[in-house]
Amino acid sequence: MEATLAPAKALSPAELLKTEEAIGFVKDTFARELARQLQLTKVSSPIAVLDGTGINDDLNGVERPVSFPIKALAERRAVVVHSLAKWKRLRLTELGIPAGRGILTDMRALRPDEDYSPIHSIYVDQWDWEKHILPEQRTVAFLKETVEKIYDALRTTELRVAEEHADIVPVLPEQITFIHAEELLQRYPTLSVKERETAAAREYGAVFIMGIGGELSHGEIHDGRAPDYDDWSTATEPGLRGLNGDIVLWHPVLQSAFEVSSMGIRVDKAALLRQLALRGCPERAALGFHSLLLAGQLTESIGGGIGQSRVCMFMLRKAHIGEVQVSIWPEAVRQELSSAGIALL
C-alpha cells in the first residue's frame, strides 16, 4: 500500500521564522562566496527601465514585460525588468570597473507570462553579476574556469548549510562536468531536451551545458536565448558553437534536473551582428544599447544570473519554489500543494 502525505498545515509563526532564517543564511553565505570567488562589488540596480532602449532582457523573445506610463516623463512608458543582462554591462562600463573585477546585484523581476510549476513563479529573484574581461579571455577555457568558481561557491554553501542543519546531507560532487548541448544530443538522440538534461544531471550530479541558443545538428536549439547578450554562435571546436551555458544540478527531492544559473561570455560586435541576423531582427542594431556595443563603447564581459529561490530550494531540499519565496499562486495550486503536504510561505 502506497504511503500518502497528510495535507499540509499552515506554518506556525515559529516555523515561518525558522524557514526565513534558513533562507537568509543560504542567501548571505552564497552571495559572500560568489563575490569572493569572482571579485565582485555589490551595487544597486533598477526594478524598471525605459521602454524602447533595448536594455530590458527579451528572454526567449516572446515574454511580455509589465509596462506602465510615467506621468513626470510625459507618459513615456517604462517596463519592469525581466533580468539585468544588458543593464549590468552598461553599469560595468559606467563605473569603470577594471579587468578581473565585476559587479553583483540583487535582481527582482516580474515575468507574468511564466507558466507556474514547482520551480517557476511570476516573481523572480536572482543574483545578477557581470565581470570585466579582456578580449583574449573570450575562450571556452576561461568560461569553464569561471563556472568552476561559481560551483565552488555552491559547494561551500551546501557544506555550511549542512553544518547548520543536521537533516541536510551534502550531495554535490567535488567537480562539475562540462558537456556541450550538441554532445548531449548525440548521446541521447531519442530524448527530449528536458529528458537529456535529467539524464546528464542524474549521471553526474552537476553539469554545465554549453552552447545554449544556437542551432544543433538536428536543426533545433537546446533552449531559447536572446541574440544580444550571451554569445551562443561563436565557433569553439569543430561542429560546436557557443561561449555560454547553464549550470544544472540533480535535485535530490524532485529527482530531476534543476537549473540554477544561466550565464556566458557576452557578445562582441561580430557575435551581436551575427545573432541579430540569425534571429531575423537586424533592426535592433539601431537601439541604444546595441549602438553603444557596435561603436566599441561597452566593456567586454562575462556575466549571468543565479536564481536565489532556486539555490534556496536546492540547499534546503524543498520541493516547491513557493516554500522559499512569497508570490501569487492560484487557489487550485495552493490546495493541490496542501494535499501533497507542501506548505507555501
Side-chain angles (χ1 to χ4, degrees):
M1 182 175 179
E2 290 188 6
T4 58
L5 290 172
K9 297 179 180 179
L11 296 176
S12 69
E15 290 171 324
L16 277 171
L17 184 59
K18 184 177 180 180
T19 298
E20 295 288 9
E21 288 173 345
I23 292 170
F25 181 82
V26 171
K27 290 183 176 181
D28 290 346
T29 302
F30 179 75
R32 184 169 57 250
E33 284 300 311
L34 180 68
R36 183 181 67 83
Q37 288 281 354
L38 298 185
Q39 295 296 293
L40 307 175
T41 298
K42 194 77 177 289
V43 299
S44 302
S45 60
I47 184 64
V49 295
L50 289 174
D51 198 9
T53 59
I55 295 175
N56 201 19
D57 178 3
D58 291 324
L59 300 175
N60 290 326
V62 297
E63 290 89 346
R64 298 171 301 166
V66 175
S67 175
F68 58 94
I70 302 175
K71 178 182 176 182
L73 294 180
E75 302 301 311
R76 186 173 179 184
R77 299 195 73 81
V79 291
V80 175
V81 296
H82 276 147
S83 87
L84 298 172
K86 288 174 280 186
W87 178 88
K88 290 177 298 179
R89 192 167 179 183
L90 285 168
R91 194 63 174 152
L92 193 71
T93 303
E94 291 168 353
L95 293 174
I97 302 294
R101 298 193 65 88
I103 58 176
L104 172 67
T105 191
D106 289 312
M107 191 280 296
R108 302 289 182 263
L110 294 175
R111 297 179 183 174
D113 282 345
E114 196 74 72
D115 293 324
Y116 285 119
S117 82
I119 61 173
H120 292 100
S121 164
I122 63 170
Y123 170 67
V124 180
D125 56 345
Q126 65 183 34
W127 292 283
D128 255 326
W129 63 275
E130 200 80 9
K131 185 174 181 178
H132 183 174
I133 66 172
L134 300 173
E136 56 266 30
Q137 291 176 312
R138 294 177 49 80
T139 65
V140 170
F142 183 77
L143 174 66
K144 289 182 176 180
E145 177 185 320
T146 304
V147 170
E148 287 170 343
K149 290 178 179 179
I150 296 171
Y151 185 67
D152 282 347
L154 286 168
R155 285 195 70 235
T156 297
T157 301
E158 185 185 44
L159 291 172
R160 291 182 180 168
V161 169
E163 291 172 357
E164 296 289 322
H165 300 270
D167 57 326
I168 302 294
V169 178
V171 296
L172 289 176
E174 188 172 331
Q175 296 182 327
I176 189 168
T177 297
F178 294 90
I179 187 167
H180 195 280
E182 178 64 35
E183 296 170 326
L184 205 56
L185 172 64
Q186 297 303 320
R187 184 178 299 186
Y188 307 110
T190 64
L191 301 184
S192 68
V193 169
K194 294 306 177 186
E195 289 170 340
R196 295 198 293 270
E197 290 184 354
T198 292
R202 181 187 294 112
E203 179 177 354
Y204 297 110
V207 293
F208 184 71
I209 303 174
M210 297 182 289
I212 294 179
E215 186 176 291
L216 303 180
S217 59
H218 65 340
E220 300 176 10
I221 61 175
H222 184 86
D223 198 4
R225 286 294 183 276
D228 43 16
Y229 53 99
D230 281 356
D231 182 342
W232 41 258
S233 64
T234 291
T236 54
E237 300 177 26
L240 302 181
R241 293 181 178 274
L243 293 168
N244 72 329
D246 288 349
I247 296 176
V248 179
L249 311 177
W250 177 253
H251 195 297
V253 175
L254 295 176
Q255 288 289 290
S256 67
F258 190 72
E259 178 196 327
V260 295
S261 177
S262 175
M263 59 171 286
I265 292 174
R266 305 310 197 186
V267 290
D268 58 8
K269 178 179 179 179
L272 175 63
L273 291 173
R274 181 170 56 246
Q275 292 178 185
L276 289 177
L278 287 169
R279 287 289 187 263
C281 52
E283 72 281 356
R284 291 183 65 83
L287 294 173
F289 171 87
H290 305 69
S291 297
L292 289 172
L293 196 156
L294 294 173
Q297 296 179 27
L298 293 183
T299 297
E300 292 276 6
S301 66
I302 184 173
I306 304 169
Q308 294 187 8
S309 291
R310 292 278 185 96
V311 169
C312 289
M313 269 187 75
F314 180 85
M315 297 297 170
L316 300 177
R317 308 300 190 248
K318 300 297 185 180
H320 196 280
I321 198 167
E323 295 181 90
V324 294
Q325 67 161 233
V326 178
S327 186
I328 299 172
W329 304 101
E331 187 57 34
V333 170
R334 288 185 174 276
Q335 292 178 2
E336 179 184 351
L337 293 174
S338 177
S339 297
I342 297 172
L344 303 183
L345 290 182

